[in-house]
Amino acid sequence: MVPHLVTALNGPINELEQRVLDSMSAIERWFRLEWMEHTPPFYTSVDVRNAGFKLAPVDTNLFPGGWNNLTKEMLPLAVQAAQAAIEKICPEARNLLVIPENHSRNTFYLANVLQLVHIFKMAGLNVRVGSIDPAIKSPKKIELPNGESICLEPVVRTKRRLGLKNFDPCTILLNNDLAAGTPGILEDLHEQYLLPPLHAGWSVRRKSNHAHSYEELTKRFGKLLGIDPWLINPMTSKADGVNFAEGMGTDVLTSHVDAMLTKVRRKYKEYGINEKPFVIVKADNGNHGMGVMTVRDVKELEALDKKTRGKMSSARSGLEVNEVIVQEGVLTNERVHNGVAEPVVYMMDRYVVGGFYRVHAERSSDESLNSPGSSFVPLAFSESAHMPQPGAKPGASAPNRFYMYGVIGRLAMVAASYELEATNPDAEVYE
């Protein structure tokens, strides 16, 4: 199944698909050389939008949830990637501790944690789940809707190590994005591997840093393919000092939005695209679908109601929003079962392991789909779907379309690798 692409302008995306397929060996060599110089994030998910004339990542998550949306057919790939990742970091690893988010009542989220437990058990590790939630004071078994259950145990901190009662892990996997800040219990672990590192959390990470890294990469990648980098890059700018709650900095935001809409109009004119430009304003420090709004005209900023200001003034975990990014809006012209859809690509180590479509029947093609009411349809990776099929007509082959998504997902992952290096507090500095 290749999702229905609802656009008269699918010529350019088919052309891009053809360029990507024709350059496959050069692309794979390019990624190989990048990974010789840089370390991939431990695991990553990337939201991709396909406008029919442009294909670009709009969000890169370094603590991906949603592993329970991957099909059974995708699990062998995830297990192999997990083995490769662990072998690189700690070949003698035996015990792995998974630390989830604190919202232990969300059974859908916990099904994702259990899927991670299954993946790493099949990769040959003893896996247990340790909660840093102060409310968890003794082992807590939670029944999940699919009939399985998960046990959350309180973590035990000694001077230099973190573990559980009678369980001493050499590796700790965070599935907690640290949006509320870095808890002291996770700091100063000198004898254990913490994956991803603390500075990948939203208390440190900024979308604007990621956008800058990604833009620089697309310039080089665009040269490799002989394409305009804009076809794979959502233009982004950063607006500081914006306080929605107090109505401060709206002039700064207005000028950024106006400038971005002008740039997008220019590009649409250049490519003969007859669509209405829009921008997405979102919190610079993570959101999970919170602190996000679509703006189609600067006049909309003058008329923000109290509800929208309230929604935009805080991100997840009550974080105050005073830095936002203004990102070129990328339409999603893909449809699954008549619902607007966007592919989400899942990666572990340097490998694409699967993904799904996020579908939202009540949202339009220029709105965020990461909101209540969305559903998930597995990407139709059949047995050989990861292997592109040269010679297939562009736009008709599922493997080719998914290979293209994987290329964009991996590009965003390389950008995340650059971003983590730049923000690493322990990085060696060469004078």
Side-chain angles (χ1 to χ4, degrees):
M1 175 193 81
V2 174
H4 183 42
L5 198 56
V6 212
T7 171
L9 257 171
N10 60 10
I13 211 72
N14 289 348
E15 198 180 304
L16 179 63
E17 185 179 301
Q18 196 60 59
R19 281 283 169 96
V20 166
L21 291 170
D22 290 347
S23 311
M24 199 167 75
S25 55
I27 288 170
E28 293 306 321
R29 179 175 182 272
W30 189 88
F31 279 120
R32 197 163 61 243
L33 295 176
E34 285 297 319
W35 296 133
M36 284 171 72
E37 299 289 330
H38 306 280
T39 305
F42 188 77
Y43 53 4
T44 317
S45 72
V46 178
D47 297 358
V48 179
R49 306 270 287 204
N50 187 349
F53 53 84
K54 177 175 184 128
L55 184 74
V58 293
D59 209 14
T60 302
N61 190 348
L62 300 184
F63 298 87
W67 288 91
N68 50 315
N69 292 318
L70 301 192
T71 62
K72 285 190 174 73
E73 291 75 22
M74 297 176 194
L75 283 184
L77 283 167
V79 171
Q80 286 176 334
Q83 285 173 325
I86 291 290
E87 274 168 27
K88 266 195 326 199
I89 295 155
C90 180
E92 68 280 8
R94 179 179 297 160
N95 295 339
L96 176 79
L97 180 66
V98 179
I99 295 187
E101 300 281 357
N102 286 355
H103 43 82
S104 59
R105 285 189 294 276
N106 184 337
T107 53
F108 185 80
Y109 169 72
L110 291 175
N112 141 75
V113 176
L114 190 60
Q115 181 80 299
L116 282 170
V117 170
H118 291 331
I119 288 168
F120 285 97
K121 275 187 174 172
M122 287 187 276
L125 294 163
N126 301 318
V127 190
R128 282 165 67 179
V129 182
S131 177
I132 56 173
D133 185 345
I136 305 271
K137 293 185 165 59
S138 60
K140 184 179 179 183
K141 188 177 177 185
I142 299 168
E143 300 296 331
L144 302 180
N146 64 0
E148 292 185 283
S149 64
I150 186 167
C151 183
L152 303 181
E153 301 179 67
V155 295
V156 177
R157 174 72 200 239
T158 58
K159 191 177 179 187
R160 298 174 75 81
R161 296 180 80 80
L162 189 69
L164 305 174
K165 190 179 178 185
N166 303 322
F167 186 75
D168 185 27
C170 66
T171 308
I172 297 162
L173 178 65
L174 282 179
N175 196 243
N176 180 321
D177 65 13
L178 310 176
T182 305
I185 198 167
L186 296 177
E187 293 179 325
D188 302 318
L189 297 173
H190 298 295
E191 299 167 1
Q192 288 170 306
Y193 294 96
L194 190 63
L195 308 166
L198 293 177
H199 65 279
W202 282 122
S203 47
V204 175
R205 198 175 168 225
R206 293 294 177 268
K207 288 177 184 290
S208 49
N209 291 340
H210 179 77
H212 175 72
S213 296
Y214 184 78
E215 183 181 359
E216 293 305 306
L217 273 172
T218 57
K219 288 175 188 170
R220 286 170 37 212
F221 197 74
K223 269 188 187 159
L224 179 78
L225 292 189
I227 60 164
D228 178 353
W230 177 75
L231 293 172
I232 53 174
N233 176 41
M235 297 184 286
T236 306
S237 67
K238 181 182 176 182
D240 290 326
V242 177
N243 188 320
F244 287 96
E246 295 173 20
M248 287 164 59
T250 45
D251 51 338
V252 175
L253 181 59
T254 301
S255 69
H256 275 275
V257 169
D258 193 32
M260 186 59 72
L261 285 170
T262 303
K263 278 185 185 173
V264 179
R265 268 188 219 104
R266 205 174 292 139
K267 277 292 183 186
Y268 280 14
K269 191 176 178 187
E270 181 186 333
Y271 283 89
I273 294 160
N274 191 22
E275 298 280 2
K276 187 172 172 60
F278 67 101
V279 301
I280 300 290
V281 177
K282 48 182 154 178
D284 200 10
N285 54 343
N287 53 64
H288 272 254
M290 296 172 72
V292 181
M293 69 176 174
T294 301
V295 182
R296 300 166 189 88
D297 191 306
V298 284
K299 288 180 186 148
E300 293 171 27
L301 294 174
E302 295 163 18
L304 286 184
D305 57 26
K306 196 173 177 183
K307 185 181 172 188
T308 307
R309 286 184 189 281
K311 189 185 89 166
M312 290 301 296
S313 63
S314 66
R316 192 153 168 266
S317 302
L319 277 178
E320 194 175 284
V321 174
N322 47 30
E323 297 172 341
V324 297
I325 61 166
V326 176
Q327 189 179 64
E328 171 195 354
V330 182
L331 290 164
T332 180
N333 274 321
E334 290 186 292
R335 300 289 183 276
V336 173
H337 311 318
N338 294 322
V340 177
E342 66 185 10
V344 186
V345 179
Y346 273 62
M347 292 159 287
M348 195 173 283
D349 194 55
R350 66 180 72 179
Y351 308 103
V352 175
V353 298
F356 53 82
Y357 276 98
R358 183 184 285 120
V359 183
H360 206 307
E362 291 159 28
R363 289 291 174 109
S364 60
S365 58
D366 62 357
E367 292 181 298
S368 169
L369 306 185
N370 189 3
S371 61
S374 57
S375 58
F376 306 95
V377 177
L379 283 177
F381 286 112
S382 59
E383 289 73 28
S384 63
H386 273 67
M387 305 312 295
Q389 296 173 351
K393 187 174 167 226
S397 159
N400 291 355
R401 175 74 65 80
F402 298 144
Y403 176 73
M404 190 165 65
Y405 292 160
V407 168
I408 297 298
R410 285 185 289 162
L411 257 183
M413 180 167 58
V414 177
S417 164
Y418 278 55
E419 175 199 352
L420 289 178
E421 285 170 15
T423 56
N424 185 357
D426 302 320
E428 294 178 17
V429 179
Y430 298 100
E431 295 296 342

